[in-house]
Amino acid sequence: MILDQIAESTRRRVEKQKLKKSLEQIKKEALLKPMSTDFPFEQMLRKKGMSFICEVKRASPSKGIIAEQFPYLDIAREYQEAGASAISVLTEPEFFKGSDRYLKEIADAVSIPVLRKDFTVDAYQIYETKLLGASAILLICSLLEDRELQLFQETAHHLGLSALVEAHDEKEVSRALKAKARIIGVNNRDLKTFTVDIRNSVTLRKMIPKEVLYVSESGITTPEDVGELYRNKTSAVLIGETLMRSPDKKKMLEALGRDCHD
């Protein structure tokens, strides 16, 4: 399965990073950074109406290269000007052609929260994320044991980072709730077949208590999709390819949000 390949590649990447800078050193550096307890990523998602997490993504395993030209700073600034609540930045280099540099520069260039979109398999990456300037980190249930899920969340929160805990099915949602996740994201993409169905988010919504932020991810392409999710009490949508392929991201974002009214 592709997720297993990405996870293995990520483990190798982390081990190489540890040779450059030890866990003890990166932990020390991260703990010297300001420890805000405001959790701006969560604050933005709690605002009234649908929140949009707009993704800066160059490529994906299912679609290949999405953006041949990739002026990532311009894209991030355009998202902010268009009214994005937060920006998601892919940092996985092999399968998504991402880079830590993209994240660091974007976090410095915008004033809205930034999510590090990567495949967290080691606590080392959480300290890395803090040093790169992100406000939030992604934790994928299917990559982590229950103990890791709990520990990684606690580590992130201790550093002032929010954790978006991603689930794909009822079992993983239950695990996220057991780990006391404050933000649960449901991925509408089946990672075995790569098929997408936003009904996955609609169906699983009923499992999530109202105090937990709820994010729908993947396959959201039309105003009708966003409207349906909004009426189903979804807190935020994470949208990548649809916006990345749009020549006018502000206009596209306005169109996507047109059905988000009571």
Side-chain angles (χ1 to χ4, degrees):
M1 192 168 73
I2 187 68
L3 189 61
D4 296 328
Q5 295 174 38
I6 297 171
E8 185 54 40
S9 171
T10 303
R11 289 186 188 95
R12 291 195 299 269
R13 171 164 47 109
V14 172
E15 290 309 310
K16 287 179 182 177
Q17 289 296 100
K18 287 178 180 178
L19 294 175
K20 297 176 185 176
K21 185 180 291 186
S22 69
L23 173 61
E24 291 73 20
Q25 181 62 31
I26 201 168
K27 184 175 181 179
K28 182 179 178 181
E29 290 179 19
L31 289 169
L32 288 172
K33 300 283 282 186
M35 297 298 166
S36 169
T37 55
D38 294 342
F39 296 104
F41 185 75
E42 291 168 58
Q43 283 190 35
M44 290 296 278
L45 268 53
R46 288 196 185 280
K47 289 187 175 181
K48 188 175 180 182
M50 178 66 86
S51 295
F52 286 85
I53 305 168
C54 302
E55 193 154 85
V56 178
K57 176 164 66 173
R58 187 174 190 179
S60 76
S62 58
K63 301 291 184 178
I65 297 294
I66 294 168
E68 288 287 354
Q69 301 298 316
F70 192 59
Y72 53 93
L73 286 178
D74 292 340
I75 293 167
R77 291 189 184 104
E78 191 175 354
Y79 284 157
Q80 177 170 283
E81 290 167 11
S85 305
I87 295 173
S88 170
V89 182
L90 260 299
T91 57
E92 195 286 322
E94 184 177 346
F95 295 85
F96 290 86
K97 309 303 179 190
S99 168
D100 290 347
R101 177 169 55 89
Y102 301 157
L103 173 63
K104 184 169 177 48
E105 292 182 15
I106 288 172
D108 287 340
V110 300
S111 57
I112 56 177
V114 177
L115 165 72
R116 185 188 189 188
K117 186 84 172 285
D118 210 316
F119 298 79
T120 308
V121 293
D122 192 302
Y124 187 95
Q125 294 168 275
I126 307 172
Y127 297 107
E128 250 185 353
T129 300
K130 179 67 176 179
L131 290 179
L132 290 168
S135 298
I137 191 166
L138 179 70
L139 300 177
I140 301 175
C141 283
S142 54
L143 286 181
L144 302 170
E145 309 249 338
D146 287 350
R147 180 183 57 80
E148 292 174 317
L149 196 57
Q150 184 74 47
L151 178 62
F152 287 5
Q153 266 198 115
E154 290 171 359
T155 302
H157 293 160
H158 179 64
L159 291 170
L161 299 172
S162 296
L164 171 58
V165 180
E166 181 178 292
H168 295 84
D169 54 29
E170 288 186 7
K171 182 179 178 182
E172 290 182 357
V173 169
S174 295
R175 290 181 58 216
L177 290 170
K178 182 182 175 185
K180 296 182 170 53
R182 302 201 300 243
I183 316 170
I184 295 178
V186 165
N187 196 326
N188 301 311
R189 188 181 302 281
D190 185 317
L191 293 180
K192 293 178 181 176
T193 65
F194 277 103
T195 56
V196 176
D197 183 0
I198 71 158
R199 298 298 305 175
N200 197 40
S201 285
V202 174
T203 302
L204 294 175
R205 179 67 184 95
K206 64 182 181 293
M207 295 182 65
I208 315 295
K210 63 180 180 180
E211 65 271 15
V212 176
L213 289 162
Y214 187 64
V215 180
S216 180
E217 310 168 34
S218 297
I220 302 158
T221 60
T222 68
E224 291 75 23
D225 290 341
V226 178
E228 181 177 8
L229 292 165
Y230 178 72
R231 291 187 292 276
N232 201 45
K233 308 298 182 187
T234 301
S235 311
V237 288
L238 193 155
I239 301 179
E241 186 183 346
T242 298
L243 286 169
M244 284 297 305
R245 292 190 187 279
S246 173
D248 188 333
K249 293 170 176 51
K250 186 174 189 294
K251 187 175 179 180
M252 175 58 76
L253 202 56
E254 288 172 351
L256 288 169
R258 76 179 185 207
D259 290 344
C260 294
H261 49 77
D262 298 320

